[in-house]
Amino acid sequence: MMNPEKRRAFFEQLKANNPHPETELEYSSPFELLIAVLLSAQATDVSVNKGTRKLYKIANTPQPLLDLGEEGVRPFIQHIGLFNSKGKHIQETCRLLLEKHGGEVPQTRAELEALPGVGRKTANVILNTAFGQPTIAVDTHIFRVSNRTGLAPGKDVVRVEEQLLKRVPKEYLLDAHHWLILHGRYTCKARNPECTQCIVEPLCGFKQKTGKGKVRDDI
């Protein structure tokens, strides 16, 4: 497990490399981000952006999107996995936002998780990215990086989230979510981590470091 000095140095390096990390999902409002995150489950950000770029030109607030209906939304999202269930969630979410929140995206975890298709991870993304709250949404990338490096080991995503909130230095907590996702997506990959290109490699506790062949991914 990484000690406090290494943890601080870890995030110092990530910040130096990317001072202002951002999500790769394209959005211009909390509502657009919410819909994009709903669509991103088991899908790539690239595929989501491909659909929302066209969709948001027609409907980028709850009422117009609700007016489109599932049939109207489908052509924009049918290339995305689980598009039928996601389309239903989007419609129901729009309805609830209009009925209970004046068409605005709520800013509390409980209210967000009451929306269809919104779980803890999605709620954390919205709270952090749209509303600037120091939360961390633990996806597969963050789970892998946290365990592999020794930054915040845990057997499940909730445990890793709890450990990260305790162990990430406060001044880095707001941006930690994006730094860790991007690091896991492009450097600390599941099957072929690019350890020789990693800026935090000297701080990492991974025992199967490599820059050449594939490694077994036990996490």
Side-chain angles (χ1 to χ4, degrees):
M1 186 177 290
M2 241 183 245
N3 62 38
E5 291 74 20
K6 285 187 175 181
R7 293 199 301 270
R8 181 170 296 279
F10 183 93
F11 285 102
E12 285 175 350
Q13 288 294 327
L14 294 180
K15 181 177 182 178
N17 183 63
N18 185 4
H20 305 291
E22 297 179 346
T23 178
E24 293 183 319
L25 290 171
E26 297 173 2
Y27 73 99
S28 61
S29 69
F31 177 75
E32 287 188 4
L33 179 63
L34 174 60
I35 299 304
V37 177
L38 284 173
L39 291 170
S40 70
Q42 300 181 46
T44 66
D45 290 357
V46 172
S47 68
V48 173
N49 291 336
K50 179 182 177 181
T52 57
R53 282 186 201 125
K54 297 178 180 179
L55 175 62
Y56 291 159
K57 290 179 180 179
I58 298 172
N60 68 342
T61 55
Q63 189 64 63
L65 200 52
L66 185 62
D67 291 342
L68 277 180
E70 289 181 45
E71 292 297 323
V73 171
R74 185 171 294 119
F76 299 98
I77 66 172
Q78 60 188 1
H79 63 285
I80 300 172
L82 306 174
F83 68 90
N84 279 324
S85 61
K86 291 176 180 178
K88 291 179 181 178
H89 288 157
I90 287 172
Q91 289 295 295
E92 186 64 12
T93 288
C94 289
R95 185 182 67 78
L96 290 175
L97 289 178
L98 290 165
E99 290 181 357
K100 296 186 176 183
H101 303 287
E104 300 296 324
V105 178
Q107 299 188 35
T108 70
R109 184 193 305 282
E111 289 175 312
L112 285 167
E113 290 185 0
L115 299 173
V118 177
R120 185 180 186 88
K121 182 176 73 173
T122 297
N124 279 345
V125 171
I126 303 303
L127 292 173
N128 177 264
T129 306
F131 300 124
Q133 296 186 26
T135 59
I136 296 178
V138 180
D139 68 350
T140 55
H141 297 302
I142 293 182
F143 186 79
R144 179 174 64 255
V145 171
S146 297
N147 277 282
R148 181 182 275 171
T149 63
L151 176 65
K155 293 183 178 181
D156 57 61
V157 294
V158 175
R159 179 59 176 167
V160 168
E161 179 187 327
E162 292 171 347
Q163 288 297 304
L164 285 170
L165 292 176
K166 291 178 181 178
R167 297 170 65 80
V168 175
K170 289 184 178 181
E171 62 266 39
Y172 300 115
L173 194 53
L174 181 61
D175 291 321
H177 169 77
H178 291 117
W179 280 322
L180 294 175
I181 284 180
L182 295 172
H183 189 65
R185 183 175 291 167
Y186 296 112
T187 303
C188 195
K189 303 173 185 177
R191 296 188 177 277
N192 193 15
E194 298 183 2
C195 300
T196 60
Q197 306 299 317
C198 178
I199 60 174
V200 292
E201 183 275 329
L203 306 166
C204 173
F206 186 42
K207 295 181 180 180
Q208 295 176 287
K209 292 179 182 178
T210 180
K212 298 179 180 179
K214 292 183 178 181
V215 300
R216 188 184 72 223
D217 183 20
D218 293 327
I219 0 178

